[in-house]
Amino acid sequence: MTAMKLNEVRKIFTGAAAVTAIGSCSDISESPEQPMNIIYIMCDDHSYQTISAYDRTLTNTPNIDRLCDEGYRFTNSFVANSLSGPSRACLLTGKHSHKNGFTDNRDRIFDGNQTTFPKLLKENGYETAVIGKWHLGSEPVGFSHWDILDGQGEYYQPVFICNGDTLLRPGYVTDIITEQTIDWLEKKRDKNKPFCLLVHHKAPHRSWMPDVCDLGSHDHVEFPLPENFEDNYEGRPAASLQEMTIEADMNTAYDLKIADKDGAMIDPEWRWTLGMYRGGTKEGERLRPGRMDHEQQEAWNSYYDPIIEDFRKDSLEGKELAEWKYQRYMKDYCSVIKSVDRNIGHLYEYLEKEGLLENTMIIYTSDQGFFMGEHGFFDKRFMYEESFRTPLIVRLPDRMERKRPGRAETSVYGPNFGKGDYDISEMVQNIDIAPTILEYAGVEIPEEIQGESFLGLMKGTSAKDMKTDTGKGWRDALYYHYYEYPGEHAVRRHYGIRTERYSLMHFYHDTDSWELYDLKNDPLQMHNIYHTPEAAIILPDLMKQLHELQMLYEDPIQ
Ligand code: SGN
Ligand code: CA
């Protein structure tokens, strides 16, 4: 399924790394000597709210912003199933979860025999590599080189599996992934071939452990509480059943590092976190070994000891405690982002120095969005905007010279958001990445891929002129399906459709409830209008569209 079934495919000449452009709809002109390299950078749980190119309220990310200044900012970018493993499977296959089989993070093993875009690129003469978080159970297939974190990975002294060999690397995970990335680019790849490199950061996944040099980097910031921090979930039964609120479910010891050395403040259930933050405790069943070296541990102790001391003295409760937790969460999370941004800067410098910016497409995104206190939540999973959306920035070589003077509007809810010169406001989804990369590389897009290439949108093709599988131009609705229930955070299974204006979702399994939001009048999604007279007018069309999407993607109706 694709914007172009490439009869006139731009061909990759294996080994010689040459690409010829023959009349593609996106009409990229490149010299035959220029290999079309791809670097795909994906963080884990990086919210668009904490990228200053999207929103300047919370933190600053100058290096990610530079990518955006020199590239395209997607202002309506979404995932198909807001969870790590499933997102990664959607990315690799270009297919929804029910088709690629990796519906949730529980005991799934990704079937590596499926068609994936790295495999197709490799078969077409590309060097392919993945470095960082993989989280798919099985070993990577279709990569010339793979160097992945073991499971979720650790922030300090992480264990990697490098082409099958297990090794522990000293240091901080975001630095190590960047070092390994540059090392592969510099020394390990075959420089006669074009390359596709996937850089998958662990950061800023829970439990948001900053690098030593970033501890305290956001202490001066008083983060504004989201307007709907104190949501009571009225009219939204599934939302009231979750277990992911900052107030009730965020643990002060595990999540916020309030784990004192003598163990007096540790909840017995979370006792194992003492080892994680305070080093090498030998008791407790779920022991996680202390991973920090002496210096790292000292730095952590001198930063967190006074915070723990104050926490002990203040004995906060109720609303005050919830707000304190929110501030601590934001400080840790944004400090972890600081390292991500710095490392993007290092990679950028390297690419610039090596002249690689001129022949490389760079993509920056996250495996899903994340709640930064909206609805009182952390985590993701819901089809609500904050977790359904994901940041997406794409820098193409030929945008290099055309820096725009400034973005029209950065706030996601602002009236001009998406109207900047290099904003792409069409709704795209992570299943679109595979076909986009394949089209860029001049490799034919297999019929079974369900996503659509958005390359043409960046090249100025209008939405209505985009060739897609429906034959009706670019899509006007997105499909979503989340499956991990029973599971951590207790978010009920649900599927739904999102159009430009409305978001309709059906929560099923251990519940049966529908929610409908008017995103224009209720962007914060506080009012479920499913049972209102207004909905009676809108619903028949939306339901029809939803069923059409379920037929298109062949997802049986629940
Ligand atoms: C871990 C986290 C969860 C998180 C999942 C999935 N718990 O299990 O809070 O939702 O990962 O995240 S933790 O106690 O282990 O930190 S995902 O991004 O990998 O899908
Ligand atoms: Ca994730």
Side-chain angles (χ1 to χ4, degrees):
M1 199 185 283
T2 168
M4 30 186 293
K5 294 290 176 302
L6 294 170
N7 296 326
E8 310 165 286
V9 175
R10 289 177 290 135
K11 292 207 169 54
I12 305 289
F13 297 109
T14 314
V19 180
T20 358
I22 315 170
S24 75
C25 67
S26 43
D27 207 19
I28 295 174
S29 49
E30 62 270 342
S31 82
E33 295 79 35
Q34 297 282 302
M36 308 298 283
N37 302 317
I38 297 126
I39 298 185
Y40 174 88
I41 307 167
M42 181 165 72
C43 276
D44 191 0
D45 296 357
H46 193 179
S47 58
Y48 58 81
Q49 302 93 307
T50 51
I51 296 180
S52 39
Y54 279 91
D55 194 326
R56 295 194 194 112
T57 320
L58 301 175
T59 193
N60 275 320
T61 50
N63 294 296
I64 301 173
D65 290 10
R66 179 181 166 195
L67 261 185
C68 190
D69 282 339
E70 298 173 5
Y72 297 89
R73 178 177 70 164
F74 286 77
T75 56
N76 282 305
S77 156
F78 297 83
V79 293
N81 179 358
S82 184
L83 201 61
S84 167
S87 263
R88 288 156 211 271
C90 290
L91 160 77
L92 292 171
T93 60
K95 296 195 270 192
H96 278 281
S97 306
H98 62 283
K99 285 282 178 188
N100 65 45
F102 205 98
T103 48
D104 56 66
N105 279 343
R106 284 173 293 191
D107 299 317
R108 308 256 164 231
I109 303 285
F110 179 69
D111 172 10
N113 291 321
Q114 306 183 63
T115 304
T116 63
F117 81 85
K119 264 193 203 171
L120 293 169
L121 292 178
K122 192 159 180 274
E123 283 162 22
N124 281 275
Y126 265 75
E127 277 276 273
T128 53
V130 57
I131 299 175
K133 183 171 172 181
W134 175 250
H135 206 203
L136 285 170
S138 51
E139 286 191 349
V141 180
F143 293 92
S144 334
H145 173 83
W146 52 275
D147 194 346
I148 57 170
L149 285 167
D150 187 17
Q152 288 278 13
E154 299 281 353
Y155 278 103
Y156 284 89
Q157 274 70 263
V159 173
F160 284 80
I161 308 167
C162 180
N163 299 318
D165 295 333
T166 303
L167 41 129
L168 184 143
R169 294 195 174 105
Y172 185 72
V173 70
T174 312
D175 290 347
I176 298 169
I177 290 172
T178 307
E179 279 155 20
Q180 293 306 318
T181 294
I182 294 176
D183 190 58
W184 183 79
L185 286 167
E186 180 69 12
K187 302 191 196 127
K188 296 197 177 130
R189 71 188 165 104
D190 176 348
K191 291 192 175 166
N192 291 316
K193 292 183 179 181
F195 66 83
C196 175
L197 167 61
L198 314 185
V199 183
H200 289 187
H201 284 293
K202 174 201 169 54
H205 192 273
R206 190 181 183 189
S207 57
W208 320 293
M209 293 172 70
D211 193 356
V212 162
C213 59
D214 297 317
L215 288 167
S217 63
H218 285 72
D219 281 3
H220 59 288
V221 186
E222 179 72 21
F223 292 93
L225 274 182
E227 226 177 289
N228 56 357
F229 184 72
E230 288 185 57
D231 193 350
N232 62 7
Y233 316 117
E234 199 190 332
R236 290 156 288 155
S240 65
L241 292 167
Q242 49 59 44
E243 292 167 7
M244 51 190 262
T245 63
I246 293 176
E247 181 166 8
D249 306 298
M250 185 175 275
N251 186 272
T252 42
Y254 172 64
D255 290 308
L256 303 176
K257 296 91 186 170
I258 305 302
D260 63 347
K261 278 172 272 200
D262 53 18
M265 287 178 62
I266 294 279
D267 175 343
E269 213 186 299
W270 293 85
R271 204 177 161 72
W272 59 282
T273 64
L274 193 60
M276 193 173 168
Y277 298 134
R278 294 300 183 175
T281 337
K282 293 278 180 275
E283 46 184 295
E285 277 174 13
R286 288 183 68 201
L287 180 71
R288 234 187 238 195
R291 303 202 70 90
M292 293 180 215
D293 65 23
H294 182 70
E295 254 175 59
Q296 291 160 345
Q297 191 66 71
E298 288 291 293
W300 267 62
N301 289 349
S302 57
Y303 177 69
Y304 284 104
D305 279 353
I307 296 168
I308 291 170
E309 214 33 61
D310 285 349
F311 181 79
R312 196 196 288 271
K313 272 201 284 240
D314 294 346
S315 318
L316 302 173
E317 279 176 22
K319 193 167 175 281
E320 271 189 335
L321 178 61
E323 291 185 11
W324 178 89
K325 285 167 95 176
Y326 167 75
Q327 294 296 334
R328 284 302 330 154
Y329 162 49
M330 294 302 296
K331 284 177 173 53
D332 285 347
Y333 184 102
C334 291
S335 303
V336 173
I337 293 301
K338 197 163 162 58
S339 158
V340 169
D341 187 68
R342 181 170 56 246
N343 276 284
I344 301 295
H346 292 327
L347 179 58
Y348 223 120
E349 265 168 46
Y350 174 79
L351 297 173
E352 194 161 30
K353 179 166 75 70
E354 296 300 312
L356 285 166
L357 288 180
E358 283 141 47
N359 53 17
T360 305
M361 165 160 80
I362 307 172
I363 300 175
Y364 185 86
T365 187
S366 171
D367 64 342
Q368 7 73 200
F370 212 69
F371 291 100
M372 314 294 333
E374 300 88 354
H375 302 283
F377 294 160
F378 65 103
D379 214 65
K380 51 262 177 175
R381 299 162 192 264
F382 276 106
M383 197 187 149
Y384 299 147
E385 293 286 293
E386 290 81 3
S387 49
F388 185 18
R389 285 177 176 273
T390 198
L392 178 66
I393 297 166
V394 182
R395 182 192 191 281
L396 291 178
D398 56 353
R399 269 279 284 113
M400 275 181 65
E401 307 302 323
R402 298 157 47 199
K403 281 192 191 174
R404 72 192 132 176
R407 285 173 291 275
E409 173 86 60
T410 56
S411 162
V412 173
Y413 302 124
N416 293 319
F417 187 68
K419 295 186 185 156
D421 283 349
Y422 299 102
D423 279 348
I424 310 266
S425 59
E426 282 77 16
M427 289 186 286
V428 300
Q429 205 164 20
N430 55 351
I431 52 168
D432 300 331
I433 302 279
T436 302
I437 289 179
L438 290 171
E439 186 185 357
Y440 182 73
V443 174
E444 189 156 3
I445 302 166
E447 195 61 42
E448 67 192 87
I449 283 191
Q450 297 184 310
E452 307 279 1
S453 167
F454 53 72
L455 195 65
L457 292 175
M458 292 187 282
K459 290 294 168 182
T461 308
S462 68
K464 70 173 176 19
D465 291 332
M466 286 294 287
K467 295 191 189 91
T468 63
D469 223 51
T470 58
K472 294 188 206 148
W474 194 254
R475 66 165 75 86
D476 54 9
L478 289 173
Y479 186 62
Y480 182 85
H481 200 154
Y482 169 82
Y483 301 80
E484 195 175 285
Y485 182 84
E488 206 177 356
H489 301 299
V491 175
R492 272 31 180 199
R493 295 183 195 181
H494 58 293
Y495 61 86
I497 181 176
R498 186 199 190 276
T499 62
E500 197 189 334
R501 171 115 187 229
Y502 297 102
S503 195
L504 171 68
M505 48 200 96
H506 180 208
F507 293 86
Y508 67 96
H509 193 103
D510 221 6
T511 188
D512 182 5
S513 58
W514 287 83
E515 295 183 15
L516 173 63
Y517 298 97
D518 178 347
L519 299 168
K520 190 168 162 218
N521 294 324
D522 178 27
L524 303 184
Q525 296 172 290
M526 298 294 285
H527 308 287
N528 174 14
I529 56 167
Y530 186 80
H531 297 287
T532 63
E534 181 193 348
I537 304 165
I538 310 153
L539 273 172
D541 261 6
L542 273 175
M543 285 291 186
K544 184 167 164 274
Q545 261 182 298
L546 172 61
H547 293 152
E548 278 167 10
L549 282 185
Q550 288 181 317
M551 286 190 10
L552 177 73
Y553 296 129
E554 298 176 317
D555 191 16
I557 299 168
Q558 308 292 323

